[in-house]
């Protein structure tokens, strides 16, 4: 038949996407809204997961391109931090305050 087709997606595209979505997920993890917590958690989870997945995709197709790998890792780390903060908020809400509130938000005490 022919040679196996290579992936023609430029690796900088998902890396850029990860770096742009990472701060959104991080911001969603920092703030603790007073209302619509469910929507806040779902949006933050969506942004964080897409950020981490697109960063991982960029690393997979980057090859020897060092700049792409660095920017993808930056996006992954920022997005993962946002996800960790969101999970912390969720644990505080689900346990009714038995889990300690986030240290980064003095207004998170419910």
């Amino acid at each position: 038949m022919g040679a196996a087709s290579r992936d023609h997606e430029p690796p900088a595209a998902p890396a850029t996407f990860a770096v742009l979505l990472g701060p959104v997920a991080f911001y969603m993890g920092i703030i603790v809204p007073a209302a619509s917590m469910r929507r806040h958690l779902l949006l933050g989870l969506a942004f964080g997961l897409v950020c981490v997945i697109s960063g991982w995709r960029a690393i997979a197709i980057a090859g020897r391109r060092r700049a792409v790998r660095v920017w993808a890792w930056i996006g992954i780390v920022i997005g993962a931090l946002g996800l960790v903060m969101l999970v912390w908020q969720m644990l505080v809400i689900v346990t009714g305050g038995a889990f300690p509130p986030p240290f980064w938000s003095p207004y998170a005490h419910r």
Side-chain angles (χ1 to χ4, degrees):
M1 302 281 149
S5 64
R6 293 185 57 209
D7 193 358
H8 296 291
E9 179 184 9
T16 304
F17 201 58
V19 169
L20 291 176
L21 284 181
V24 175
F26 189 77
Y27 177 73
M28 297 285 282
I30 286 178
I31 62 171
V32 180
S36 69
M37 191 63 163
R38 183 178 186 191
R39 181 178 57 189
H40 172 76
L41 288 174
L42 288 176
L43 282 173
L45 182 68
F47 282 124
L49 286 177
V50 170
C51 172
V52 170
I53 290 170
S54 63
W56 203 258
R57 172 77 178 144
I59 289 172
I61 63 176
R64 295 178 50 107
R65 296 177 184 104
R66 188 181 324 186
V68 172
R69 289 193 320 245
V70 167
W71 283 109
W73 275 111
I74 289 170
I76 288 172
V77 167
I78 294 172
L81 283 172
L83 286 173
V84 166
M85 290 188 290
L86 281 168
V87 168
W88 192 327
Q89 290 179 18
M90 186 180 67
L91 286 173
V92 171
I93 293 166
V94 168
T95 61
F99 197 78
F103 59 87
W104 61 86
S105 178
Y107 306 109
H109 303 284
R110 290 188 170 252

